[in-house]
Amino acid sequence: GLYLTSNHINSTIPSELGMMTIIRLSFYLTSNALTGTIPSELGLMTSMNYYFYLNSNSLTGPIPSQLGLMTAIYSDFHLEENDLSGSIPSQLGLMASMRSGFYLSTNGLSGPIPSQLGLIIKMVTTFYLDSNSLSGSIPSQFGLLTAMVSSFVLTSNSLTGQIPSQLGLLTSMVSGVYLNLNSLSGSIPSQLGLMTALSYGLYLTSNHINSTIPSELGMMTIIRLSFYLTSNALTGTIPSELGLMTSMNYYFYLNSNSLTGPIPSQLGLMTAIYSDFHLEENDLSGSIPSQLGLMASMRSGFYLSTNGLSGPIPSQLGLIIKMVTTFYLDSNSLSGSIPSQFGLLTAMVSSFVLTSNSLTGQIPSQLGLLTSMVSGVYLNLNSLSGSIPSQLGLMTALSYGLYLTSN
């Protein structure tokens, strides 16, 4: 191999390097300041069967189709973090022996994704095309990559059309499927629920998906890190089956859609969730299930604001005693009194927000126990009555403010 990684070389790549036709293990030019185009002659390295690294430079121009002649390459093809442009050559699909590390991310590549990339059927890990300007639909042929276990990433492109149902055939996938920040539309295929080994997450955020959420997604019972469907145009009700994701311990995002109906009480079964439960900015109705109070491990980000929720606030929400930041129930039609149990949230430092509801009764004196609160306590725009408890003065760390306006 040739190892020139992590220097300050700031020239073009000589085409003569392609004369190293029997180089087999490694061609490492990563992390320099290389400029110019990738010489097509590098495709003559047909004995290359391991590491081909040109990433993290300033290379420009198209990817030469001749690189597809390196059909023996087994592991790690890296062109990411350059300024490459043009389309992805379909000939790269000839590298059918590759098993890990196909990286074209963070370039200026455009045009459709060649369906031939689905022929790299031995691929096991890390398929990255993110952060380009790729357009067109996601090829259904990606469903042939059934050996994949880790990180299928198409994030931050301009992809359109429906998510192919064939992606559900990636049943060995353990890490994440990242399709967020595109312009995908249509429905979420129920077949995605077949990816029952998925643990890191499903990322569909910031697209134009305008369907219901398939109940079959609840079959992803060991999903652990993230379930991101935020900022689409999803309709219908939240399937109660999503509560079967009992291994979920980080990010559950359904906010900024057009979901309707009640919050399923079964979501309270996600008792391992640690951070960020987001249902805000939908059209949800009905009461807040008391079972959400079972999510006692949650420390930040409980958001139910800007819906049509009604009825009393369950006192059980005061059992989320590890909550540190951002508790938002504002902009609903909640009624009844503020539960005194909120005084148990003594770890909170930021943003306790009940603004713009129809809450009545007195402000509970127990809120004064939130002595760690640094940001704001927002109780304004309700119908609260009675006296202001003197105990609120114990919140001496409060810096953003106390809001009791319009009661």
Side-chain angles (χ1 to χ4, degrees):
L2 177 65
Y3 298 82
L4 302 179
T5 298
S6 299
N7 282 288
H8 305 293
I9 303 170
N10 58 355
S11 70
T12 59
I13 300 172
S15 60
E16 290 82 358
L17 296 188
M19 297 167 62
M20 300 176 178
T21 55
I22 63 169
I23 197 168
R24 184 174 60 84
L25 184 62
S26 302
F27 186 77
Y28 271 105
L29 303 187
T30 189
S31 298
N32 279 286
L34 296 171
T35 59
T37 59
I38 300 172
S40 60
E41 290 83 355
L42 298 187
L44 299 175
M45 298 178 179
T46 53
S47 298
M48 175 70 65
N49 65 3
Y50 253 78
Y51 306 118
F52 184 83
Y53 277 70
L54 295 182
N55 60 293
S56 304
N57 284 289
S58 297
L59 297 169
T60 57
I63 299 171
S65 60
Q66 291 87 344
L67 296 187
L69 298 174
M70 295 191 290
T71 55
I73 200 164
Y74 177 89
S75 175
D76 290 305
F77 180 81
H78 286 257
L79 300 182
E80 76 272 17
E81 296 177 0
N82 281 289
D83 296 309
L84 299 173
S85 58
S87 59
I88 299 173
S90 61
Q91 291 87 343
L92 297 188
L94 298 173
M95 297 191 287
S97 297
M98 190 179 300
R99 299 201 177 189
S100 67
F102 185 84
Y103 292 83
L104 301 183
S105 55
T106 316
N107 280 289
L109 299 170
S110 58
I113 300 173
S115 60
Q116 290 86 344
L117 296 187
L119 301 177
I120 309 176
I121 57 175
K122 294 180 181 179
M123 178 64 70
V124 176
T125 62
T126 57
F127 191 93
Y128 281 81
L129 301 183
D130 61 289
S131 303
N132 283 287
S133 298
L134 299 170
S135 58
S137 58
I138 299 172
S140 60
Q141 289 83 351
F142 280 144
L144 299 173
L145 306 179
T146 54
M148 279 200 72
V149 299
S150 175
S151 299
F152 179 78
V153 187
L154 303 183
T155 297
S156 296
N157 281 289
S158 299
L159 298 171
T160 56
Q162 293 207 126
I163 299 169
S165 60
Q166 291 86 347
L167 291 187
L169 299 174
L170 309 183
T171 54
S172 298
M173 182 70 72
V174 173
S175 292
V177 173
Y178 301 78
L179 307 181
N180 49 310
L181 296 165
N182 280 287
S183 296
L184 299 170
S185 58
S187 60
I188 300 173
S190 60
Q191 292 88 341
L192 296 189
L194 298 173
M195 295 190 287
T196 54
L198 201 65
S199 66
Y200 272 35
L202 178 65
Y203 298 80
L204 304 182
T205 298
S206 299
N207 281 287
H208 305 299
I209 302 169
N210 57 355
S211 70
T212 58
I213 301 172
S215 60
E216 290 84 354
L217 297 188
M219 295 165 61
M220 299 176 176
T221 55
I222 65 169
I223 198 166
R224 182 173 59 84
L225 184 61
S226 302
F227 186 75
Y228 270 107
L229 303 187
T230 189
S231 298
N232 279 285
L234 295 171
T235 59
T237 59
I238 300 172
S240 60
E241 290 84 354
L242 298 187
L244 298 174
M245 298 178 178
T246 53
S247 298
M248 177 69 66
N249 65 3
Y250 255 78
Y251 306 117
F252 185 84
Y253 277 70
L254 296 182
N255 60 291
S256 305
N257 283 289
S258 298
L259 297 169
T260 57
I263 299 171
S265 60
Q266 292 86 344
L267 296 187
L269 298 174
M270 296 191 289
T271 56
I273 200 163
Y274 177 92
S275 175
D276 291 304
F277 180 81
H278 286 256
L279 301 182
E280 77 272 18
E281 297 177 1
N282 280 290
D283 296 310
L284 300 172
S285 58
S287 59
I288 300 173
S290 61
Q291 291 86 343
L292 297 188
L294 298 174
M295 297 191 287
S297 297
M298 191 179 300
R299 299 201 177 189
S300 67
F302 185 84
Y303 293 84
L304 302 183
S305 55
T306 317
N307 279 289
L309 299 171
S310 59
I313 299 173
S315 60
Q316 290 87 344
L317 296 188
L319 300 177
I320 310 176
I321 57 174
K322 294 181 181 179
M323 178 65 70
V324 175
T325 62
T326 57
F327 192 92
Y328 281 81
L329 301 183
D330 62 288
S331 304
N332 282 288
S333 298
L334 299 171
S335 58
S337 60
I338 300 172
S340 61
Q341 288 83 351
F342 279 145
L344 299 173
L345 306 180
T346 55
M348 279 201 71
V349 299
S350 175
S351 299
F352 180 77
V353 186
L354 303 182
T355 297
S356 296
N357 280 288
S358 300
L359 298 172
T360 56
Q362 292 207 123
I363 299 169
S365 60
Q366 291 85 346
L367 290 187
L369 298 174
L370 308 184
T371 54
S372 298
M373 182 70 71
V374 172
S375 292
V377 173
Y378 301 79
L379 307 180
N380 51 310
L381 295 167
N382 280 287
S383 298
L384 298 171
S385 59
S387 61
I388 299 173
S390 60
Q391 292 88 339
L392 296 189
L394 299 174
M395 294 190 288
T396 55
L398 202 64
S399 65
Y400 275 34
L402 176 65
Y403 297 81
L404 303 181
T405 301
S406 299
N407 279 288

